[in-house]
Amino acid sequence: MSEKINLGNHVLSENEEFMSANQKAYFRAKLIAWKNDILREARETLGHLAEESANHPDLADRASSETDRAIELRARDRQRKLISKIDAALQRIDEGTYGYCEETGEPIGLKRLDARPIATLSIEAQERHERREKVYRDE
């Protein structure tokens, strides 16, 4: 689809066929914008970490700086994993499987996808998954 999607005022319509070309274009634009934001933040973090690498003469300042750096790097690692999920979602759009539950094959739902564009399970399947996870965790 060649037309540009404006994420700020685009309205998803439940009246169209599920995963119409318009909906796919919307979710592709949303995923790409999200990925670009993460990459921009990562570049800013790298710049900040490079500036912060100066030695701190005070032991407390150095410890605080190292703690901040560790937290920042952990956050970047989570975001790196998120980028791979975004890439997988973009691939599902290309393959025509985006928006359908991996477990049941049923449509996930536009509201859920709008809130969590990398979702791979319907709400019901996700709840079942979380209940099973909780049972195994509690044992």
Side-chain angles (χ1 to χ4, degrees), residues 103 107-108 112 121-129 131:
E103 215 172 84
I108 290 175
R112 175 160 168 74
L121 298 172
S122 65
I123 290 176
E124 297 79 14
Q126 182 69 39
E127 287 171 348
R128 280 193 305 274
H129 176 73
R131 278 194 300 274

Side-chain angles (χ1 to χ4, degrees), residues 71-83:
I71 291 169
E72 197 64 48
L73 290 173
R74 250 192 327 265
R76 291 299 137 230
D77 188 50
R78 280 194 305 275
Q79 301 227 318
R80 180 186 53 79
K81 292 173 184 169
L82 184 55
I83 285 176

Side-chain angles (χ1 to χ4, degrees), residues 130-139:
E130 289 172 1
R131 278 194 300 274
R132 280 192 306 262
E133 200 175 75
K134 183 181 183 324
V135 167
Y136 291 123
R137 199 174 350 149
D138 291 345
E139 290 178 345

Side-chain angles (χ1 to χ4, degrees), residues 31-63:
L31 287 161
I32 290 171
W34 191 11
K35 181 178 176 177
N36 289 338
D37 285 346
I38 292 169
L39 292 172
R40 180 186 42 74
E41 289 172 11
R43 282 189 298 274
E44 289 171 4
T45 297
L46 287 174
H48 177 71
L49 289 175
E51 291 170 10
E52 275 293 310
S53 66
N55 285 335
H56 296 286
D58 182 52
L59 196 56
D61 287 345
R62 192 175 320 151

Side-chain angles (χ1 to χ4, degrees), residues 18-30:
F18 186 72
M19 282 303 117
S20 65
N22 183 45
Q23 291 171 355
K24 286 179 185 177
Y26 170 79
F27 285 113
R28 178 182 303 283
K30 186 170 185 135

